[in-house]
């Protein structure tokens, strides 16, 4: 014998089934939004690291420029003093090479020579380091950052999926649970 459900029972079962499908599809949709949100957070973290490296390189370049100017000025001063002292040393060597005065001039000359050599080494070292922070390098890094940032904004801030992520409480909670994430571009409306 076949049992038939009443129309009312059949409608209730169908309504329950439809509700269940809506909940499941909502959860699947939320999972897609969670994946979307986590991908955007990863890209945002990458952009933040890239920007930090650009800022550090820019700062290092400016600092290096200042150090180079200081090292150049020191080297010029040492060389000028060496030039002045050289004539005294030659004069001293001719007149009385073993005198206390001549000995002091030689010590001072040797110190200045050592300081000039150190200043030269610093200049060479700074120039080698500066190659990595050249204006061309920084320009291309900034271009790369700008391109990636524009793509990020188009996908993760100005898209329908981003708006849906912010509107879906389940997905938003899973992606933006921490205070650090809540402060991110991905988890904010503006």
């Amino acid at each position: 014998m076949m049992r038939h459900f009443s129309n009312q029972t059949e409608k209730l079962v169908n309504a329950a089934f439809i509700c269940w499908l809506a909940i499941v599809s909502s959860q699947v949709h939320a999972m897609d939004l969670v994946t979307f949100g986590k991908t955007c957070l990863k890209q945002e973290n990458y952009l933040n690291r890239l920007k930090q490296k650009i800022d550090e390189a820019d700062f290092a370049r400016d600092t290096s420029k200042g150090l180079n100017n200081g090292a150049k000025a020191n080297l010029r001063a040492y060389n000028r003093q060496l030039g002045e002292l050289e004539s005294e040393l030659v004069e001293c060597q001719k007149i009385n090479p073993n005198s206390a005065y001549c000995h002091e001039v030689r010590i001072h000359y040797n110190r200045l020579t050592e300081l000039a050599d150190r200043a030269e080494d610093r200049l060479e070292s700074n120039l080698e380091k500066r190659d990595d922070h050249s204006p061309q390098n920084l320009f291309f890094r900034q271009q790369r950052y700008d391109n990636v940032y524009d793509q990020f904004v188009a996908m993760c801030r100005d898209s329908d999926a981003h708006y849906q992520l912010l509107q879906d409480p389940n997905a938003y909670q899973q992606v933006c649970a921490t205070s650090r994430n809540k402060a991110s571009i991905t988890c904010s409306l503006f």
Side-chain angles (χ1 to χ4, degrees):
M1 173 171 172
M2 283 187 97
R3 256 189 180 187
H4 293 282
F5 293 110
S6 68
N7 274 344
Q8 189 174 6
T9 306
E10 192 173 325
K11 286 180 184 176
L12 283 173
V13 168
N14 284 339
F17 182 69
I18 290 172
C19 286
W20 180 78
L21 282 177
I23 290 171
V24 168
S25 69
S26 167
Q27 292 298 327
V28 168
H29 180 68
M31 285 302 166
D32 290 341
L33 290 176
V34 169
T35 304
F36 166 81
K38 289 183 178 182
T39 301
C40 287
L41 283 175
K42 284 180 185 175
Q43 190 171 7
E44 188 172 349
N45 286 332
Y46 169 74
L47 280 168
N48 290 338
R49 285 192 310 275
L50 190 60
K51 183 65 173 161
Q52 183 179 1
K53 286 180 183 179
I54 290 169
D55 291 344
E56 287 171 358
D58 197 30
F59 178 75
R61 185 193 64 190
D62 292 343
T63 303
S64 172
K65 197 182 300 180
L67 290 174
N68 281 345
N69 290 341
K72 285 177 187 176
N74 287 344
L75 185 59
R76 279 193 299 271
Y78 297 145
N79 285 333
R80 181 180 42 76
Q81 289 176 12
L82 280 171
E84 294 168 0
L85 206 57
E86 196 167 331
S87 61
E88 280 185 56
L89 186 61
V90 169
E91 183 80 22
C92 171
Q93 297 280 30
K94 287 181 184 175
I95 297 174
N96 193 357
N98 292 328
S99 69
Y101 173 74
C102 198
H103 185 65
E104 287 297 319
V105 170
R106 274 194 298 274
I107 290 173
H108 190 62
Y109 185 84
N110 289 340
R111 263 192 221 142
L112 282 173
T113 302
E114 186 179 329
L115 290 172
D117 289 344
R118 285 184 190 169
E120 235 174 87
D121 290 344
R122 262 185 303 220
L123 265 174
E124 288 175 17
S125 172
N126 287 343
L127 288 175
E128 288 172 8
K129 290 178 186 174
R130 219 173 122 183
D131 287 342
D132 192 37
H133 308 300
S134 70
Q136 294 86 1
N137 253 351
L138 288 174
F139 174 78
F140 290 122
R141 282 183 179 180
Q142 187 65 48
Q143 287 291 101
R144 168 87 175 123
Y145 173 82
D146 291 342
N147 290 340
V148 173
Y149 183 78
D150 289 344
Q151 292 170 358
F152 167 77
V153 167
M155 184 179 93
C156 296
R157 191 184 78 188
D158 294 342
S159 68
D160 291 338
H162 179 246
Y163 183 73
Q164 289 172 356
L165 169 70
L166 297 177
Q167 296 302 313
D168 188 316
N170 294 333
Y172 182 83
Q173 182 60 32
Q174 288 182 21
V175 174
C176 305
T178 66
S179 60
R180 179 175 169 239
N181 288 352
K182 283 182 183 177
S184 68
I185 293 172
T186 300
C187 294
S188 63
L189 189 54
F190 301 105

